[in-house]
């Protein structure tokens, strides 16, 4: 199994920044990709960003391009999400995602989830 521990969520004003971290432990040698999803109240969980573990290629949802940056540290099995120019519509619970077979850009490809960290952006 893989355990995902998230940190970095909080309350920030519009235009501010936050940096989320997610550390994976357990059977992580087979990591294919890690990423981030988010879920706002009353909405479905949606893809935010992902990164391939081997090559480091990244994928973003259109609404965060130019504002969010995903990165990883392979030696620490850790993925980061730097969030700049935050908007109230970014408010959601952010979930770390781990995949052992395919890129994690849709929910059904995710093998393990973090418990979620709340990000609240005030206007």
């Amino acid at each position: 199994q893989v355990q995902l521990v998230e940190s970095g969520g909080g309350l920030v004003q519009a235009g501010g920044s936050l940096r989320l971290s997610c550390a994976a432990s357990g059977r992580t040698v087979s990591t294919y990709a890690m990423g981030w999803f988010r879920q706002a109240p009353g909405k479905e969980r949606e893809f935010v960003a992902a990164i391939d573990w081997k090559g480091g290629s990244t994928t973003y949802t259109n609404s965060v391009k130019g504002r969010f940056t995903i990165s990883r540290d392979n030696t620490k099995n850790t993925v980061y999400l730097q969030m700049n120019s935050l908007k109230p519509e970014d408010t959601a619970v952010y979930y770390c995602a781990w995949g052992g077979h395919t890129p994690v850009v849709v929910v059904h490809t995710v093998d393990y989830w973090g418990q979620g960290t709340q990000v609240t952006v005030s206007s």
Side-chain angles (χ1 to χ4, degrees), residues 4-7 9 36-37 45 92-96 113-119:
L4 304 175
V5 180
E6 301 160 318
S7 63
W36 296 91
F37 290 70
R45 191 169 300 186
V93 177
Y94 283 70
Y95 295 91
C96 181
W113 296 96
Q115 69 177 20
T117 184
Q118 178 71 48
V119 172

Side-chain angles (χ1 to χ4, degrees), residues 35-115:
W36 296 91
F37 290 70
R38 66 187 181 187
Q39 188 166 21
K43 295 185 177 180
E44 296 183 346
R45 191 169 300 186
E46 68 172 349
F47 169 75
V48 177
I51 186 167
D52 291 345
W53 218 244
K54 183 178 180 180
S57 61
T58 58
T59 305
Y60 299 92
T61 192
N62 287 336
S63 63
V64 307
K65 288 181 179 178
R67 300 188 298 120
F68 292 9
T69 303
I70 189 170
S71 61
R72 92 285 198 221
D73 186 335
N74 305 65
T75 64
K76 297 181 179 180
N77 293 304
T78 299
V79 65
Y80 307 92
L81 186 67
Q82 178 66 48
M83 304 184 293
N84 298 327
S85 301
L86 283 163
K87 304 175 180 180
E89 50 263 46
D90 296 317
T91 296
V93 177
Y94 283 70
Y95 295 91
C96 181
W98 183 95
H101 304 284
T102 60
V104 288
V105 296
V106 291
V107 295
H108 69 262
T109 64
V110 177
D111 294 313
Y112 293 95
W113 296 96
Q115 69 177 20

Side-chain angles (χ1 to χ4, degrees), residues 22-36:
C22 175
S25 61
R27 189 167 292 178
T28 58
V29 65
S30 61
T31 303
Y32 187 93
M34 293 184 70
W36 296 91

